[in-house]
């Protein structure tokens, strides 16, 4: 049994949900305990023995936090908080084993601090690239880099994220905006939810994000994945992330997808069969998963996914409004959104990875088809021609064999043989 984290829009809905959960689990002999909420009215309807101890004594305390699903939730402010992991090996030499153990303590299921996590991923990949052994002390620059990273993690304690991502007034429109980007070391995707309230107030907040490091070359002969392919992998990551988000929300929301790669948008705008295998397979899957949305071009400087593809220190991330709230134009009317069409941009042919196809050349029909108007007559004529050619090669030609031919047939046969001989001589 693990924790469950959910929310409702009213006390009545909360009461109904709690009753259903309690009855459902009790029917299986399970008792759901440690109930907590940021609504004291709802908690009063939960039996005291089933509440979390902190809800009884210090729920109203501004410092009271509840850990669930790897996050700290503060009921009084309804915010998510992060807690810096405790590292007890400060004085020990940093090894690959220690770095991997330290990074495993960073748990961020929603990807809210993804730029910090991806920095740790890129560091570990550098250790694999250097073929570092598990317990060999790293060289001084790498040791200093990891110690500085652990020290900077303390800034995560200052980050507070609102759990409620929509407008606080009744919402009349909701949109999902997904961004993707890649660098030479990593690629990532992030999704923002844009809500418009009844008084036309626009609220934009980060919903979730995900990142991956760029694959390493497995052999000396194998080259690293080029940047356009990494950009396409980022688009595929965004498509998979959108599939999970749309399935979890279970409401119809108009999605928008954004990339700053003109090549990727050019690939997605065409039929997958036009491209080579690597590109074609991914384009086909992306088009299938994002069929109800539209891909658009966003300037690189306004792409929040650029942050997660390159990594960022916690101190910088805390004040990065582009990461937490997306580009400024998301707060404007949709008419203000970027409208650049990537398909009109001239792209290098060597970067498009277009599949090589053999062009079919038209061949003029043989003159022999013009000798007769029906296929039956033509077959008989060809038979006479072949017979005439065979008999003409005999040393002792019997001229009587051709007496039954009409003058027209004999002339056509001779003309055809002449043209065939000319054709063969070429």
């Amino acid at each position: 049994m693990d924790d469950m984290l959910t929310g409702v829009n009213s006390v009545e809905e909360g009461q109904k949900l709690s009753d259903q959960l309690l009855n459902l689990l009790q029917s299986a002999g399970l008792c759901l305990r440690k109930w907590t909420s940021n609504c004291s009215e709802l908690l009063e309807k939960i039996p005291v023995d089933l509440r979390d101890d902190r809800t009884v004594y210090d729920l109203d305390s501004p410092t009271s936090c509840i850990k669930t699903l790897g996050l700290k939730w503060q009921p009084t402010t309804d915010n998510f908080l992060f807690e810096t992991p405790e590292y007890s090996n400060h004085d020990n030499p940093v090894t690959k084993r220690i770095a991997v153990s330290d990074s495993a303590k960073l748990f961020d299921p929603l990807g809210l601090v993804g730029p910090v996590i991806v920095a740790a991923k890129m560091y570990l990949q550098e250790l694999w690239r250097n073929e570092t052994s598990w317990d060999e002390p790293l060289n001084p620059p790498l040791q200093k880099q990891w110690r500085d990273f652990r020290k900077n993690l303390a800034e995560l304690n200052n980050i507070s994220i609102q759990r409620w991502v929509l407008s606080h007034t009744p919402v009349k429109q909701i949109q999902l905006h997904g961004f993707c980007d890649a660098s030479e070391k990593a690629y990532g995707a992030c999704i923002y939810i844009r809500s418009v309230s009844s008084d036309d107030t626009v609220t934009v907040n980060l919903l979730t994000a995900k990142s991956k490091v760029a694959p390493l070359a497995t052999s000396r002969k194998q080259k690293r994945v080029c940047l356009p392919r990494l950009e396409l992998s980022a688009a595929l990551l965004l498509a998979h992330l959108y599939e999970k988000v749309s399935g979890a929300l279970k409401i119809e929301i108009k999605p928008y997808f954004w990339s700053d790669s003109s090549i990727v948008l050019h690939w997605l705008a065409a039929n997958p069969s036009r491209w080579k295998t690597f590109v074609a397979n991914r384009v086909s899957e992306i088009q299938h998963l994002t069929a109800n949305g539209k891909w658009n071009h966003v300037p690189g400087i306004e792409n929040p996914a650029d942050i997660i593809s390159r990594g960022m220190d916690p101190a910088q991330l805390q004040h990065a409004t582009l990461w937490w709230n997306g580009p400024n134009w998301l707060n404007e009317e949709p008419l203000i959104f970027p409208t650049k069409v990537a398909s009109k941009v001239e792209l290098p042919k060597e970067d498009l990875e277009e599949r090589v196809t053999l062009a079919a050349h038209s061949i003029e029909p043989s003159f022999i088809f013009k000798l007769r108007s029906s296929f039956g007559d033509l077959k008989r004529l060809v038979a006479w021609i072949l017979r005439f050619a065979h008999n003409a090669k005999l040393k002792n030609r019997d001229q009587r064999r051709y007496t039954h031919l009409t003058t027209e047939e004999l002339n056509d046969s001779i003309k055809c043989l002449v043209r065939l001989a000319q054709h063969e001589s070429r």
Side-chain angles (χ1 to χ4, degrees), residues 346-364:
E346 293 185 2
L347 302 171
K349 293 184 178 180
E350 59 272 14
D351 294 340
L352 290 180
E353 299 196 40
E354 195 165 1
R355 188 189 302 272
V356 178
T357 56
L358 297 177
H361 298 283
S362 60
I363 302 176
E364 294 184 1

Side-chain angles (χ1 to χ4, degrees), residues 20 34 66 73 83 92 94 103 118 138 143 153 165 186 239 252 290 310 312 315 320 345 367 379 388 402 410 415 426:
Q20 290 178 346
K34 295 185 177 181
I66 298 171
W73 176 51
E83 185 177 9
N92 298 334
V94 178
S103 61
V118 77
L138 305 179
Q143 290 210 33
L153 283 178
V165 294
E252 291 188 7
T290 61
R310 300 179 186 275
M312 182 175 284
V345 180
F367 70 92
K379 286 196 297 181
F388 178 86
Y402 311 111
L410 186 59
K415 291 179 181 179
R426 295 176 184 175

Side-chain angles (χ1 to χ4, degrees), residues 65 71-74 79-83 157 159-161:
C65 292
L71 293 173
K72 290 178 62 178
W73 176 51
Q74 196 172 53
N79 288 347
F80 287 130
L81 305 175
F82 288 92
E83 185 177 9
N157 298 333
I159 295 179
S160 178
I161 305 169

Side-chain angles (χ1 to χ4, degrees), residues 29 51 62 70 106 145 151 221 228 248 268 287 370 425:
R51 303 178 194 170
L106 302 174
Q145 182 180 352
K151 181 180 179 180
K221 295 182 179 180
L268 295 176
Q287 289 177 344
K370 299 180 181 179
S425 64

Side-chain angles (χ1 to χ4, degrees), residues 201-271:
T201 301
V202 179
T203 303
V204 183
N205 285 302
L206 175 66
L207 186 63
T208 184
K210 190 173 181 61
S211 65
K212 289 187 177 182
V213 291
L216 292 174
T218 56
S219 64
R220 294 181 179 179
K221 295 182 179 180
Q222 183 180 5
K223 297 181 180 179
R224 294 199 65 177
V225 181
C226 62
L227 188 57
R229 286 191 172 191
L230 290 176
E231 295 273 11
L232 183 62
S233 300
L236 180 61
L237 182 65
L238 174 58
H240 287 159
L241 189 62
Y242 166 71
E243 182 185 23
K244 293 182 178 180
V245 169
S246 59
L249 294 179
K250 297 180 181 179
I251 55 177
E252 291 188 7
I253 301 178
K254 185 177 181 180
Y256 294 82
F257 305 100
W258 303 88
S259 173
D260 58 14
S261 174
S262 299
I263 294 180
V264 169
L265 296 177
H266 187 80
W267 282 336
L268 295 176
N271 192 295

